[in-house]
Each structure stands twice: as structure tokens, then as C-alpha cells.
Amino acid sequence: MRFHSLPESKRYPQDESEYAVVLERYNTVLDELFAGEDVYVITPVWTAEAELPSFRPGAGYWRTLLVADDPDPEFRTYWHLTAVRRPWRRGCVDELLRDVADDAVAGVLITDTGMRRVHHPYDGGADVFLESSEERDGMRDRHAGWLSRHASGL
């Protein structure tokens, strides 16, 4: 299911009042998904090199994925993923979510430790993957005003 971050499907916040709306929407859904649980916050670093970039201490390097396997090494793309486990608290990833909203960071996933529910924020909204159609329908109905008006739901 896809939720938009701002009214009228506006993509980028332009002032603090719009950032407040973006963070409220992200955190409302995240609270519904993960309240009282630990989560993994997974972030990629994109490179053209298989070698690991330097990570800050505690960043939680997890694994590297070859995303684009081009015969020419100059066109290969790798994702070096970090995964940090933390207790979910409203606002605990607001700085990261602001960077996502500005398209300064992409490919972030927030998931429960069993990876049964996934929140994928992006500039303009978030995709949410749930365990059941009943859970999906309930969340969709609670936040119907955040859905796209487009027939495809995008």
C-alpha cells in the first residue's frame, strides 16, 4: 500500500509546517506498525565498487548486494547495507526521515525484527508491506485521505 506524505500528492516539503505533516504521517504509520517493538533500520550506501566504504562506528554493516551486474565494471552498482536494531519510539528516526523526504537518502527500510512488516519511506510518501489483507485494509481505511486519487493507487 502506498501513502503520500503531503496533501494533494505534493512531493517535497518546502517549509517547517510541511515537514511537520510529513513526519506526522510517517510516524503515525510507523507507530501502528511497530509500537512497543524493536525494529531494524536498514539503509544502503550505493557505490560502483565492491569494496566496502568506511562506515561510522556502530553503523551496523550487514551485507553487500550487486544491484546492476554489467559486463563493464565501470557500470556495476552495489548496495552496501547497514542494519541497526533499535526499540521503536515515535520520532527516533526523524532526522533520517527528513533526509528521505528531501531525497538526500534513498532505499531506507524500517522493519520488525521478523521482517513481517516493512515501511519503505521515499520522497513523496511511503510503501507499506503488511502480513495480511485484513491488516492492509484496516490501515488503508484509517488513512484513506493519504492515498493517491489515481486509479492505480500510485
Side-chain angles (χ1 to χ4, degrees), residues 7-149:
E8 306 300 320
S9 301
K10 184 176 179 181
R11 189 152 189 179
Y12 297 104
Q14 293 179 321
D15 59 35
E16 286 305 313
S17 67
E18 288 183 342
Y19 279 105
V21 171
V22 168
L23 293 174
E24 174 64 24
R25 288 185 181 192
Y26 282 147
N27 279 294
T28 296
V29 172
L30 287 161
D31 278 347
E32 289 181 32
L33 294 172
F34 307 124
E37 297 182 34
D38 280 2
V39 297
Y40 287 119
V41 179
I42 302 167
T43 55
V45 173
W46 307 54
T47 70
E49 304 293 328
E51 293 78 36
L52 286 178
S54 60
F55 289 101
R56 61 178 165 55
Y61 171 74
W62 179 30
R63 67 179 52 188
T64 297
L65 302 173
L66 176 60
V67 179
D69 188 12
D70 194 283
D72 184 340
E74 289 187 35
F75 294 103
R76 290 185 186 143
T77 305
Y78 297 86
W79 283 359
H80 305 283
L81 301 175
T82 64
V84 176
R85 184 175 177 155
R86 64 185 315 153
W88 172 254
R89 288 181 327 279
R90 183 180 195 87
C92 70
V93 293
D94 279 2
E95 185 177 330
L96 177 62
L97 293 173
R98 282 181 73 108
D99 287 344
V100 167
D102 289 335
D103 199 24
V105 175
V108 171
L109 300 173
I110 303 168
T111 180
D112 61 286
T113 58
M115 296 191 174
R116 295 176 308 269
R117 293 183 184 108
V118 178
H119 183 273
H120 170 55
Y122 59 89
D123 57 310
D127 291 335
V128 179
F129 302 90
L130 301 164
E131 288 188 272
S132 70
S133 56
E134 293 80 20
E135 189 177 15
R136 177 204 62 214
D137 293 349
M139 186 169 277
R140 178 197 63 216
D141 294 346
R142 284 189 300 278
H143 307 295
W146 302 351
L147 301 171
S148 171
R149 293 184 192 151

